[in-house]
């Protein structure tokens, strides 16, 4: 079969036209696809709300009058999925969501989930604290929650370590000093019970100093007495009796000058025990009586019972 020159030219022209048409159609399809994808992206992001919306939604679910943990948990998890879709996984509002979800899991008795969600919340809270988009208060709240969770699951070492973290971040916060003081009280109690008397005295000293720095008047005296007694008891239990005695006696004029002498009942009681051990029975009885007077003046019934028992032992053993 033979083709004329004109036929070949016509065929070439048609092929070129067809290729051009196919290229334009292919390009148009690509453009249409890109347009559709852009519209989908814009549509999905146009449905995203800001952090304030999600924070309010979290609060609404968590504080709902319908106190059903299952309902609250379902609602919080749904909010979490929406926040992930809006790429808010590292935002402080997502940290808050994880924290509250952990609390609801704890209320349901799902302790491992509670611990897991609170740890995740802590990771974000720590990042926010480091880059100054959040403060240390969130970390304090999380570690405070973890203390209860570990205590419930009898993870003693983790509970104690969490107390240290709670103290550290509470001191970095501007409004969590009372939590730091309470945590220090727990720490000194734990150390005393484990027989780590030196560390107990050091933490008690820190607690006393912080109390004097951040609390004043009526809101501080109870803490100060607690810390000085933990220190004195640690000294007494570690057989450093003479130092414990001199330390306790040094506190009496300080409390008398500030008008809080009535709070010295545990000081007098321990001085009574020290003198009893030293066989200074009359001096011991004198201190127990002073303790009794202080206790009666503030109507501290459990302290009264303890004091009367110690006096009874002293009378029975040494005064016939």
């Amino acid at each position: 079969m033979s083709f004329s020159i004109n036929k070949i030219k016509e065929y070439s022209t048609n092929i070129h036209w067809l290729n051009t048409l196919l290229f334009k159609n292919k390009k148009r399809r690509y453009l249409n696809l890109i347009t559709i994808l852009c519209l989908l992206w814009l549509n999905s992001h146009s449905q995203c709300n800001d952090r304030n919306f999600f924070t309010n939604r979290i609060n609404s679910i968590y504080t709902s009058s319908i106190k059903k943990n299952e309902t609250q948990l379902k609602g919080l998890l749904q909010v979490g999925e929406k926040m992930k879709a809006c790429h808010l996984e590292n935002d402080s509002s997502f940290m808050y969501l994880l924290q509250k979800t952990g609390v609801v899991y704890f209320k349901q008795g799902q302790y491992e989930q509670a611990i897991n969600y609170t740890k995740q919340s802590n990771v974000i809270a720590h990042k926010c604290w480091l880059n100054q988009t959040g403060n240390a208060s969130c970390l304090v709240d999380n570690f405070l929650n973890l203390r209860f969770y570990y205590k419930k699951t009898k993870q003693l070492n983790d509970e104690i370590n969490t107390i240290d973290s709670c103290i550290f971040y509470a001191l970095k916060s501007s409004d969590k000093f009372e939590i730091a003081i309470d945590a220090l009280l727990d720490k000194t109690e734990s150390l005393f019970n484990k027989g780590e008397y030196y560390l107990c005295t050091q933490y008690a000293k820190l607690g006393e100093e912080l109390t004097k720095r951040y609390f004043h008047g009526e809101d501080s005296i109870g803490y100060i007495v607690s810390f000085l007694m933990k220190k004195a008891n640690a000294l007494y239990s570690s057989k450093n009796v003479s130092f414990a005695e001199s330390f306790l006696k040094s506190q009496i004029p300080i409390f008398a000058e500030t008008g809080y002498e009535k709070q010295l009942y545990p000081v007098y009681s321990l001085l009574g025990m020290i003198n009893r051990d030293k066989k200074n029975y009359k001096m011991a009885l004198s201190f127990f009586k002073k303790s009794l007077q202080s206790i009666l003046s503030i109507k501290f019934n459990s302290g009264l019972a303890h004091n009367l028992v110690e006096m009874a032992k002293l009378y029975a053993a040494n005064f016939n």
Side-chain angles (χ1 to χ4, degrees):
M1 183 181 293
S2 61
F3 292 95
S4 67
I5 296 299
N6 289 333
K7 287 285 185 180
I8 292 172
K9 288 182 178 180
E10 182 183 351
Y11 178 76
S12 299
T13 302
N14 289 338
I15 290 295
H16 177 72
W17 175 84
L18 183 59
N19 285 334
T20 303
L21 180 62
L22 289 172
F23 176 76
K24 287 182 177 179
N25 286 338
K26 188 175 182 180
K27 186 177 181 181
R28 189 177 296 111
R29 285 198 301 273
Y30 277 124
L31 289 173
N32 288 339
L33 179 60
I34 292 171
T35 302
I36 291 169
L37 290 173
C38 289
L39 288 172
L40 289 172
W41 185 87
L42 288 170
N43 182 58
S44 65
H45 281 69
S46 66
Q47 295 175 356
C48 285
N49 301 99
D50 61 14
R51 67 174 65 174
N52 291 329
F53 170 84
F54 285 115
T55 300
N56 291 333
R57 183 64 185 140
I58 295 164
N59 281 327
S60 177
I61 295 170
Y62 185 72
T63 60
S64 172
S65 58
I66 304 174
K67 293 295 183 180
K68 291 184 179 180
N69 294 327
E70 296 83 359
T71 304
Q72 289 175 312
L73 184 58
K74 183 178 179 181
L76 290 173
L77 293 175
Q78 287 175 346
V79 171
E81 291 303 315
K82 291 180 181 178
M83 294 181 75
K84 288 179 182 178
C86 294
H87 305 290
L88 289 171
E89 302 97 320
N90 294 313
D91 191 82
S92 59
S93 57
F94 195 73
M95 176 275 299
Y96 184 63
L97 169 78
L98 292 170
Q99 181 188 96
K100 296 307 177 187
T101 305
V103 173
V104 176
Y105 269 123
F106 179 76
K107 290 178 179 178
Q108 284 190 310
Q110 299 185 51
Y111 304 129
E112 290 306 315
Q113 285 285 64
I115 291 170
N116 181 40
Y117 271 81
T118 308
K119 282 183 174 180
Q120 291 182 54
S121 178
N122 252 353
V123 171
I124 302 172
H126 190 255
K127 289 179 181 178
C128 290
W129 178 61
L130 289 177
N131 60 30
Q132 298 183 340
T133 59
N135 57 45
S137 296
C138 301
L139 284 159
V140 177
D141 291 337
N142 278 338
F143 279 116
L144 193 62
N145 288 345
L146 281 172
R147 280 182 59 195
F148 289 109
Y149 303 163
Y150 286 133
K151 185 174 183 179
K152 189 69 177 179
T153 54
K154 302 187 186 307
Q155 299 181 57
L156 182 60
N157 288 335
D158 288 325
E159 180 190 353
I160 298 301
N161 292 335
T162 302
I163 290 177
D164 286 332
S165 298
C166 193
I167 293 168
F168 176 81
Y169 289 109
L171 296 177
K172 297 291 183 180
S173 174
S174 60
D175 60 349
K176 299 289 184 178
F177 299 126
E178 189 167 353
I179 291 176
I181 298 301
D182 287 334
L184 276 167
L185 283 173
D186 290 341
K187 182 72 175 182
T188 54
E189 184 70 22
S190 171
L191 290 169
F192 182 82
N193 291 336
K194 291 197 300 184
E196 297 185 22
Y197 300 124
Y198 176 75
L199 281 176
C200 179
T201 61
Q202 296 304 302
Y203 273 90
K205 182 180 179 181
L206 174 62
E208 186 181 358
E209 291 173 352
L210 291 174
T211 302
K212 290 177 179 178
R213 185 186 306 175
Y214 296 115
F215 296 88
H216 305 283
E218 295 291 340
D219 62 348
S220 66
I221 192 63
Y223 286 123
I224 290 174
V225 171
S226 294
F227 283 120
L228 75 86
M229 289 310 301
K230 288 183 184 300
K231 179 179 178 180
N233 276 307
L235 290 170
Y236 174 68
S237 298
S238 62
K239 307 303 180 183
N240 200 343
V241 178
S242 59
F243 190 67
E245 184 177 19
S246 61
F247 169 70
L248 289 168
K249 286 182 177 179
S250 71
Q251 300 301 308
I252 295 174
I254 296 173
F255 276 74
E257 289 171 7
T258 54
Y260 292 108
E261 193 171 4
K262 293 178 181 178
Q263 301 294 331
L264 285 172
Y265 65 88
V267 173
Y268 290 134
S269 181
L270 186 53
L271 283 169
M273 294 169 66
I274 290 172
N275 279 276
R276 181 192 61 197
D277 295 345
K278 292 168 65 177
K279 299 183 180 181
N280 296 330
Y281 301 126
K282 289 185 179 180
M283 184 65 71
L285 185 60
S286 174
F287 278 121
F288 280 131
K289 285 181 177 179
K290 286 183 178 181
S291 178
L292 182 62
Q293 291 173 355
S294 297
I295 290 170
L296 289 171
S297 67
I298 61 175
K299 299 178 180 179
F300 180 49
N301 290 334
S302 60
L304 175 63
H306 172 76
N307 186 266
L308 289 171
V309 168
E310 293 300 326
M311 288 180 68
K313 289 179 181 177
L314 185 64
Y315 274 120
N318 305 107
F319 292 96
N320 296 321

